[in-house]
Amino acid sequence: KDATVATPYDWLTASIEVVRDRIIDQWIKATKEAYEEKEKRVYYLSLEFLIGRLMRDAFSNLGVMETMRAALASLGVDLDLIAGLEPDAALGNGGLGRLAACFMESMASLGLPAHGYGIRYDYGIFRQVLAEGVQHEVPEDWLAFGNPWEFERPDLSCPVGFGGHVEEVTEEDGAVRHVWHPAETVTAVPYDTPVVGWRGRRVNTLRLWSARAPSPLDLDAFNRGDHVGATAGRARAEAISRVLYPSDESPAGRELRLRQEYFFTSASLRDLMRRHPDPGKLHEHAAVQLNDTHPALAVAELMRLLVDEKGIGWEQAWTVTRETLSYTNHTLLPEALETWPVELMERLLPRHMQIIYLINWHSLQSLEGPRTEDFIRSVSLIDETSGRRVRMGHLAFLGSHKVNGVSALHTDLMRETVFRDLASLHPGRIVNKTNGITFRRWLQQANPGLTAILVDVLGPGILDDPGLLAGLAAHEGDPALRERLRAARARNKIALARLIEERAGTRVDPSAIFDVQVKRIHEYKRQLLNLVETAALYEAIRAEPHRNWTPRVKIMAGKAAPSYHKAKLIIRLAHDLGRRIEEDPSMRGRLKLVFLPNYNVSLAERIVPAADLSEQISTAGMEASGTGNMKFALNGALTIGTLDGANVEIREHVGPDNITIFGLTAPEVAIRRSDPDHGRAAIARSPRLASALHLIRSGGVSPDEKGRYAALVDGLSDDDAFMVTDDFDAYWEAQRGLDALWADQAAWWRRSIANTAGMAWFSSDRTIREYAQDIWRMPVE
Ligand code: 26W
């Protein structure tokens, strides 16, 4: 196009294509080297990659940001403006998907030969639209204008079978071979996206599979006049990669989900095996990481490929499989642990079901000594408590040489709960790998103001070695530094205030505390605790309007799973309570509550650098790790949180005086649960809590429908499984302590500096180094 008719979107595409050329040179070089030097490779299998925008990441990692900015400016184009037009690649729900994206970036930055494998969903996570606080889901057509980052590779397409039957063929030597005859075949077509490491160190591949029918059209049907039936097979096949399942922490339980899981697992394993010609030595050349149980079928599929297709004996195949695979667990919530009905597995994957039975038989066979029925039941791959179901976590556990949790506490709980009995049979298999985040995106790109100060004070080495951040601690009392940091934060807060006005239609005061809770909406994450505290604060301010209240802006954002009604109701409560506060003149300059719609990676990049306070208030024992907690602390926000997930380790690294911890611990939660009346008792103990709950319960924030929150509030007395009531008073006190701290800005900023200084360990580079050493057994500098 000529510049005279080019749209801003055309400029975006052109800018990406210019830089893409350089990336491709590096990309081909990396591919060639890995091939020639026969390096061991890691394969990261994940049903989710929550990448966000790629342009800034690629420009910054290649070191061409300023060159591109100047070049575009000379053509009259503003880089920041076109960067804002790039759609988010939002092929994930939350933490697990974002972790996969941070890991991909870190692996490229550390120079590890790594491939990500997943699904190229036509529609990623839905766009959240709020109408009077009610969440509506709208499809997000991220590919509508094409995607300049991806390369279709039809030459590497791969067939994936479903259904049919298994034939037993007796060979001349008497051995029995199993041949699976699928009833249906779907073609997996790969799309490759380059992943650029820091300083262009290495370019790795993210390979996402798209589902295609082997034949686009049933011409016979068409010629018979059945014009709809002629494309029915195609629609069924292509449904596999149409849309991401939008629920986290609660399994879809649907056939389509199982088809997605097998589709990408099978295509990925076959694809990677092409690269390693000797299947009997696969584990020497390939490490395959299973991101949660979504790719757990890899255990059965790899066994099938090795035994049925490569003719390797069961014992050897089992060794190769176990030495190749490893599995990361991301949640202990019982409702989130995947199981599939045996009947469905038999119908969709008959040969895999046979293999799973055989694995189970071998595993139970090898049990030594007398074992109780309960023990055998608990280590079996088949759960028989309500119908017969395959436990995917157990399958992944048995088929892996290492199983990891994502924070120290989470790993301990894994050993004590879901995997207790399996762990006793396989000591040493469970290891911890505390999550991390990539500092390139979450500090350097998201917060250039803070980064410039850090470079100035600590030297440009911090861009390559986050360990140098520790040097900041020596400056914690420096008033000049404090002032610079405060000014940088103030600019970020003004920018966020502008965004809030655009998207939520309300003005917030950038000099107030920006108190932020952004994440998926879930009862265990306790947005409700935050809202009840907000209601209590509202009442307290109304009761004493002339006191000197610390001004606070509570900022919330997050999506609820479409069928999770309670989570949607919590969003609505945020909206209703926010409106009631807004309408009350006595709240002006004191309290504000805004819920920003459509939380995603790009919005997080605007919110994180502008936060003063980070809310990480999950019920202890329930958040596996959290990674938002790390993003905020790195950017200097203070944390108010429970002793849960990685908060425990953040406290160790930033120091207990620099984080605000409150509430029950995980063991205390376990004890409290056994008292059926704990909710009612906690409410009876706390007049402040009772009053705030009454306000919500009685229609105080929903005069148009007084009973809107009755069931939500009553649930807290009857069955407060998430300890909202029990932790309320401690939370309230902790918040008031922070109000007081805000008044002493020097003290506040001392803590803030200690946070940034202490967070180096939470770089995903550190996490990936640990995976490489302890799990993948790969060299890394
Ligand atoms: C089967 C449905 C389903 C889908 C996704 C169940 C569970 C999931 C994920 C495990 C949910 C998830 O994203 N978990 C988060 O993983 C992060 C990365 O390890 C952790 O930081 C979060 O604490 C954890 O909730």
Side-chain angles (χ1 to χ4, degrees):
K1 268 191 191 173
D2 189 79
T4 49
V5 293
T7 64
Y9 198 88
D10 294 325
W11 283 105
L12 170 70
T13 308
S15 307
I16 291 172
E17 289 188 352
V18 162
V19 174
R20 206 179 70 166
D21 272 353
R22 300 188 172 215
I23 294 174
I24 291 171
D25 293 340
Q26 288 291 104
W27 202 2
I28 289 177
K29 202 174 123 228
T31 313
K32 189 163 166 243
E33 278 171 11
Y35 183 77
E36 284 172 352
E37 292 166 23
K38 300 197 169 44
E39 293 171 297
K40 188 170 184 181
R41 303 177 199 231
V42 45
Y43 297 98
Y44 199 83
L45 269 57
S46 179
L47 211 43
E48 304 191 8
F49 287 93
L50 195 47
I51 298 170
R53 292 177 176 143
L54 271 176
M55 187 173 86
R56 209 179 276 282
D57 204 49
F59 286 10
S60 154
N61 277 8
L62 277 181
V64 299
M65 184 73 81
E66 292 320 310
T67 313
M68 284 300 289
R69 188 185 297 283
L72 283 164
S74 76
L75 296 162
V77 179
D78 177 1
L79 186 144
D80 294 326
L81 199 132
I82 62 168
L85 297 177
E86 187 181 7
D88 267 42
L91 310 183
N93 276 292
L96 160 140
R98 183 54 233 175
L99 185 75
C102 282
F103 279 7
M104 287 303 297
E105 200 273 352
S106 273
M107 290 188 288
S109 293
L110 292 173
L112 274 178
H115 302 250
Y117 277 115
I119 293 181
R120 177 184 179 273
Y121 303 104
D122 297 330
Y123 300 93
I125 187 72
F126 61 86
R127 181 149 54 87
Q128 179 192 53
V129 175
L130 297 179
E132 294 295 306
V134 178
Q135 171 179 297
H136 296 274
E137 300 90 26
V138 176
E140 187 72 271
D141 194 2
W142 72 295
L143 296 168
F145 297 101
N147 175 5
W149 289 114
E150 67 180 11
F151 294 83
E152 186 180 354
R153 303 290 307 276
D155 51 318
L156 297 174
S157 293
C158 172
V160 178
F162 292 98
H165 67 280
V166 179
E167 183 193 358
E168 292 191 5
V169 183
T170 310
E171 307 279 342
E172 275 171 19
D173 61 357
V176 178
R177 214 161 44 84
H178 293 83
V179 183
W180 175 29
H181 300 284
E184 181 192 353
T185 303
V186 176
T187 305
V189 182
Y191 286 72
D192 288 354
T193 297
V195 180
V196 182
W198 176 233
R199 300 209 188 276
R201 168 82 191 268
R202 183 185 179 94
V203 180
N204 280 331
T205 303
L206 174 61
R207 179 161 288 174
L208 301 178
W209 300 99
S210 181
R212 232 29 84 83
S215 159
L217 187 65
D218 179 348
L219 260 187
D220 290 338
F222 187 85
N223 291 337
R224 276 197 311 272
D226 184 2
H227 301 152
V228 174
T231 53
R234 177 169 175 191
R236 179 178 158 76
E238 296 181 358
I240 292 178
S241 57
R242 193 70 73 213
V243 47
L244 168 85
Y245 269 89
S247 92
D248 65 332
E249 318 274 3
S250 94
R254 305 289 285 271
E255 182 171 335
L256 181 61
R257 172 78 176 196
L258 184 58
R259 282 164 67 87
Q260 289 186 334
E261 294 185 353
Y262 180 63
F263 167 78
F264 101 102
T265 302
S266 172
S268 307
L269 285 178
R270 277 156 183 259
D271 189 66
L272 71 88
M273 284 174 78
R274 261 199 304 241
R275 252 177 239 121
H276 308 287
D278 184 353
K281 290 190 172 161
L282 184 65
H283 55 295
E284 293 174 17
H285 305 286
V288 176
Q289 189 69 36
L290 309 178
N291 199 22
D292 215 88
T293 53
H294 316 150
L297 280 166
V299 177
E301 174 71 351
L302 187 51
M303 284 302 284
R304 189 186 70 82
L305 293 170
L306 294 172
V307 174
D308 296 356
E309 299 201 352
K310 306 286 181 190
I312 294 176
W314 180 274
E315 288 300 325
Q316 191 197 348
W318 185 240
T319 304
V320 172
T321 296
R322 226 190 29 239
E323 293 301 305
T324 303
L325 304 180
S326 44
Y327 151 58
T328 306
N329 172 282
H330 294 270
T331 178
L332 297 173
L333 296 192
E335 65 268 31
L337 298 175
E338 280 190 302
T339 60
W340 291 106
V342 165
E343 159 278 309
L344 173 60
M345 289 280 290
E346 271 165 351
R347 183 159 49 78
L348 211 63
L349 300 166
R351 178 58 182 146
H352 297 79
M353 196 58 236
Q354 291 178 345
I355 290 172
I356 289 168
Y357 279 136
L358 212 54
I359 294 171
N360 201 32
W361 183 82
H362 279 283
S363 155
L364 297 178
Q365 193 68 22
S366 67
L367 294 181
E368 283 161 12
R371 296 289 185 181
T372 65
E373 275 292 307
D374 276 355
F375 186 92
I376 294 170
R377 249 196 296 276
S378 96
V379 298
S380 171
L381 290 185
I382 311 295
D383 178 358
E384 314 214 356
T385 47
S386 57
R388 305 179 67 230
R389 307 176 71 94
V390 182
R391 292 174 168 142
M392 303 309 277
H394 281 40
L395 178 63
F397 187 106
L398 286 182
S400 298
H401 64 283
K402 284 286 179 331
V403 174
N404 77 284
V406 290
S407 74
L409 174 64
H410 166 63
T411 302
D412 286 344
L413 293 172
M414 268 170 80
R415 292 194 183 104
E416 292 164 15
T417 61
V418 254
F419 295 124
R420 188 192 63 204
D421 293 336
L422 278 176
S424 74
L425 297 176
H426 306 278
R429 189 168 297 187
I430 297 182
V431 296
N432 177 242
K433 294 286 159 270
T434 299
N435 284 166
I437 57 173
T438 167
F439 287 18
R440 268 79 59 180
R441 185 178 286 258
W442 295 109
L443 177 61
Q444 296 167 214
Q445 291 162 42
N447 201 345
L450 174 57
T451 305
I453 298 169
L454 295 174
V455 166
D456 201 37
V457 176
L458 301 169
I462 60 135
L463 302 178
D464 298 274
D465 176 8
L468 299 175
L469 283 176
L472 205 61
H475 305 264
E476 62 164 31
D478 176 358
L481 174 65
R482 188 196 317 145
E483 186 39 39
R484 289 179 74 188
L485 291 170
R486 204 200 46 73
R489 169 83 52 82
R491 277 190 294 277
N492 297 337
K493 289 171 77 173
I494 290 167
L496 181 59
R498 227 177 278 130
L499 194 74
I500 290 174
E501 190 167 358
E502 262 168 51
R503 299 199 183 168
T506 187
R507 290 193 167 196
V508 299
D509 172 7
S511 69
I513 300 185
F514 276 18
D515 168 346
V516 179
Q517 187 176 25
V518 290
K519 51 184 79 239
R520 283 297 288 256
I521 311 295
H522 207 292
E523 287 163 275
Y524 86 82
K525 294 178 189 282
R526 297 202 294 191
Q527 281 93 356
L528 186 54
L529 176 59
N530 191 350
L531 292 174
V532 174
E533 193 265 342
T534 309
L537 184 55
Y538 165 80
E539 292 193 314
I541 298 174
R542 287 205 5 143
E544 290 183 84
H546 300 297
R547 239 179 76 179
N548 190 17
W549 294 96
T550 303
R552 233 182 234 256
V553 177
K554 293 222 183 197
I555 299 166
M556 299 176 91
K559 293 175 183 175
S563 60
Y564 192 170
H565 300 294
K566 243 189 195 176
K568 287 181 152 178
L569 196 58
I570 289 169
I571 296 177
R572 192 160 190 196
L573 174 58
H575 168 268
D576 285 347
L577 179 58
R579 191 184 43 196
R580 163 104 193 222
I581 293 170
E582 179 98 42
E583 286 168 354
D584 189 325
S586 62
M587 293 300 121
R588 224 155 279 159
R590 299 195 167 114
L591 182 61
K592 191 112 186 175
L593 166 64
V594 286
F595 193 99
L596 275 169
N598 201 36
Y599 183 57
N600 61 11
V601 173
S602 293
L603 185 54
E605 289 168 3
R606 315 278 293 267
I607 294 176
V608 167
D612 297 303
L613 187 58
S614 155
E615 301 268 353
Q616 307 300 336
I617 59 176
S618 52
T619 314
M622 304 198 81
E623 187 71 89
S625 162
T627 45
N629 48 3
M630 302 170 190
K631 291 159 199 168
F632 285 103
L634 175 64
N635 281 277
L638 306 194
T639 301
I640 178 166
T642 46
L643 276 182
D644 198 15
N647 295 352
V648 176
E649 289 150 274
I650 291 177
R651 181 175 71 154
E652 284 161 17
H653 283 266
V654 305
D657 296 341
N658 300 312
I659 183 169
T660 302
I661 297 290
F662 72 93
L664 299 173
T665 61
E668 287 166 352
V669 167
I671 294 168
R672 190 68 63 95
R673 260 214 191 99
S674 57
D675 169 10
D677 236 26
H678 68 99
R680 225 177 299 276
I683 297 169
R685 271 197 305 275
S686 171
R688 179 174 283 119
L689 170 61
S691 171
L693 290 178
H694 177 73
L695 174 74
I696 298 168
R697 169 79 177 74
S698 63
V701 301
S702 57
D704 52 327
E705 186 193 348
K706 287 195 158 29
R708 185 175 293 157
Y709 302 108
L712 187 68
V713 173
D714 291 344
L716 296 179
S717 327
D718 298 337
D719 177 22
D720 179 14
F722 302 97
M723 307 287 146
V724 169
T725 55
D726 308 69
D727 273 344
F728 176 82
D729 282 338
Y731 182 54
W732 170 272
E733 288 307 324
Q735 290 285 29
R736 302 294 74 79
L738 287 160
D739 282 341
L741 188 68
W742 183 257
D744 180 357
Q745 283 285 300
W748 182 284
W749 279 98
R750 242 194 321 278
R751 287 197 186 196
S752 168
I753 291 171
N755 271 266
T756 302
M759 287 300 291
W761 189 77
F762 296 91
S763 160
S764 46
D765 295 356
R766 184 273 311 158
T767 313
I768 288 297
R769 275 199 195 90
E770 290 186 8
Y771 274 86
Q773 253 165 35
D774 305 337
I775 300 181
W776 304 331
R777 296 169 289 210
M778 286 168 73
V780 54
E781 46 84 72

